[in-house]
């Protein structure tokens, strides 16, 4: 049975989508079958994995709102074993359209459940908000990876997110666990980055991944080419970091 992992943090710009794309590509490189679910209306994970959004007929939006067959929404990528359910800008309005639907918090769960047997890992890229789609994603997930940027405001939003996770565990998804806190955009030369690193380690101890994602030019450039960094520059630090993260997750599970 596949494991569903949501990547979430309501603070934007923490490297959530970058991590989703590159972790998925690294897991697929290590011969795991992976599905990325792009649950962010900005659709950056979709374009970052080479999906031409103009040519998408069926996305997560159609599955949620029009009851489209989820298999019509699965697209292949340039990496063997890595598929994606793309997003669409219409997803912005989906939250309002879902308000009157019954079991509205469990709709993504219903869509993904039949696919569990077909993939080793299903990664959900959540939008940087705590709206209904993110609640859906966390209700569908077995665990959550929380990317934390090594910057001053990084710790501010975490308490809000932890509170949301607590509520979802109580009311919707008792099995939701924290897979780990992932430190991103780390620059060892900066004293502040090291302080944040120590602070997160002190607070969350065993829950912090040993792997740290360092600041890396190739990692920033690769999405504009519609490629994960492992295809763009396999020898880059960004590529090595995400492979190490993928191995850590496989060993943990």
């Amino acid at each position: 049975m596949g494991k569903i992992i949501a990547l979430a943090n309501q603070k934007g710009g923490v490297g959530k989508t970058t991590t989703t794309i590159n972790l998925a590509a690294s897991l697929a490189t290590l011969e795991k079958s992976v599905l990325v679910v792009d649950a962010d209306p900005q659709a950056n994970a979709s374009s970052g994995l080479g999906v031409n959004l103009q040519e998408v007929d069926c996305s997560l939006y159609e599955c949620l709102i029009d009851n489209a067959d989820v298999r019509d929404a699965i697209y292949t990528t340039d990496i063997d074993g890595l598929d994606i359910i793309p997003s669409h800008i219409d997803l912005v309005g989906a939250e309002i359209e879902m308000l009157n639907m019954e079991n509205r918090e469990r709709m993504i769960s219903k869509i993904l459940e039949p696919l569990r047997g077909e993939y080793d890992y299903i990664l959900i890229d959540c939008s940087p908000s705590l709206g209904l789609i993110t609640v859906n994603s966390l209700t569908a997930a077995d665990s959550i990876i929380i990317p934390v940027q090594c910057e001053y405001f990084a710790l501010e939003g975490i308490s809000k997110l932890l509170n949301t996770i607590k509520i979802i565990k109580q009311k919707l998804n008792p099995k939701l666990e924290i897979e780990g806190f992932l430190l991103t955009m780390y620059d060892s030369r900066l004293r502040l980055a090291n302080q944040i690193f120590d602070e997160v380690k002190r607070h969350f101890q065993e829950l912090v991944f040993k792997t740290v994602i360092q600041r890396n030019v190739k990692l920033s450039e690769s999405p504009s080419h519609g490629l994960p960094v492992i295809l763009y520059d396999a020898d880059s630090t960004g590529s090595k970091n995400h492979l190490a993260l993928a191995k850590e997750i496989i060993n943990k599970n």
Side-chain angles (χ1 to χ4, degrees):
M1 285 294 274
K3 181 166 194 181
I4 301 178
I5 305 176
L7 287 92
N9 189 331
Q10 80 277 17
K11 187 178 183 304
V14 296
K16 198 165 30 52
T17 301
T18 304
T19 303
T20 307
I21 292 170
N22 292 297
L23 172 58
S26 299
L27 286 166
T29 305
L30 296 168
E31 297 183 341
K32 299 293 176 190
S33 54
V34 187
L35 175 68
V36 169
V37 180
D38 191 350
D40 183 347
Q42 293 175 57
N44 292 339
S46 307
S47 55
L49 282 172
V51 174
N52 181 346
L53 296 170
Q54 261 61 55
E55 290 172 8
V56 169
D57 300 322
C58 187
S59 68
L60 182 62
Y61 174 82
E62 281 76 18
C63 295
L64 286 170
I65 305 302
D66 304 333
N67 277 328
D69 182 346
V70 66
R71 285 182 174 73
D72 293 339
I74 297 175
Y75 291 73
T76 55
T77 68
D78 291 340
I79 292 188
D80 278 350
L82 173 55
D83 295 340
I84 180 164
I85 295 177
S87 178
H88 194 280
I89 189 67
D90 288 349
L91 210 54
V92 170
E95 306 215 335
I96 296 164
E97 294 176 69
M98 287 159 69
L99 282 176
N100 296 324
M101 296 184 180
E102 55 178 313
N103 267 342
R104 59 184 184 202
E105 293 91 358
R106 300 184 190 278
M107 292 172 73
I108 289 182
S109 191
K110 199 172 88 188
I111 291 167
L112 297 183
E113 221 37 59
L115 300 175
R116 261 188 199 271
E118 297 172 32
Y119 294 95
D120 296 312
Y121 292 95
I122 297 176
L123 303 183
I124 309 177
D125 184 32
C126 299
S127 70
S129 73
L130 294 176
L132 188 53
I133 303 269
T134 300
V135 168
N136 257 274
S137 303
L138 296 179
T139 304
D142 300 307
S143 65
I144 172 173
I145 291 175
I146 303 171
V148 181
Q149 191 181 0
C150 291
E151 288 197 357
Y152 179 64
F153 292 116
L155 296 168
E156 271 201 341
I158 290 182
S159 59
K160 206 180 234 157
L161 180 62
L162 292 177
N163 203 28
T164 304
I165 293 169
K166 197 167 117 192
I167 293 166
I168 286 173
K169 273 188 81 138
Q170 283 168 353
K171 300 204 155 95
L172 294 164
N173 181 7
K175 68 181 191 318
L176 183 65
E177 295 297 329
I178 292 176
E179 188 77 26
F181 290 86
L182 175 69
L183 289 149
T184 62
M185 305 182 196
Y186 176 72
D187 185 342
S188 57
R189 298 166 304 181
L190 300 177
R191 200 168 84 219
L192 179 65
N194 290 307
Q195 283 171 347
I196 300 285
F197 181 82
D198 294 340
E199 185 94 344
V200 173
K201 274 294 233 200
R202 202 183 73 230
H203 270 291
F204 303 112
Q205 296 159 354
E206 295 306 303
L207 285 175
V208 184
F209 285 110
K210 291 183 177 64
T211 307
V212 172
I213 308 297
Q214 291 161 278
R215 272 196 188 279
N216 178 242
V217 175
K218 299 289 183 196
L219 195 54
S220 311
E221 286 174 359
S222 61
S224 63
H225 297 268
L227 293 170
V229 71
I230 203 159
L231 288 186
Y232 181 64
D233 184 349
D235 291 329
S236 65
T237 306
S239 179
K240 288 172 184 163
N241 288 167
H242 285 94
L243 263 175
L245 176 65
K247 285 175 185 161
E248 193 175 339
I249 287 170
I250 291 168
N251 292 337
K252 197 173 169 183
N253 291 296

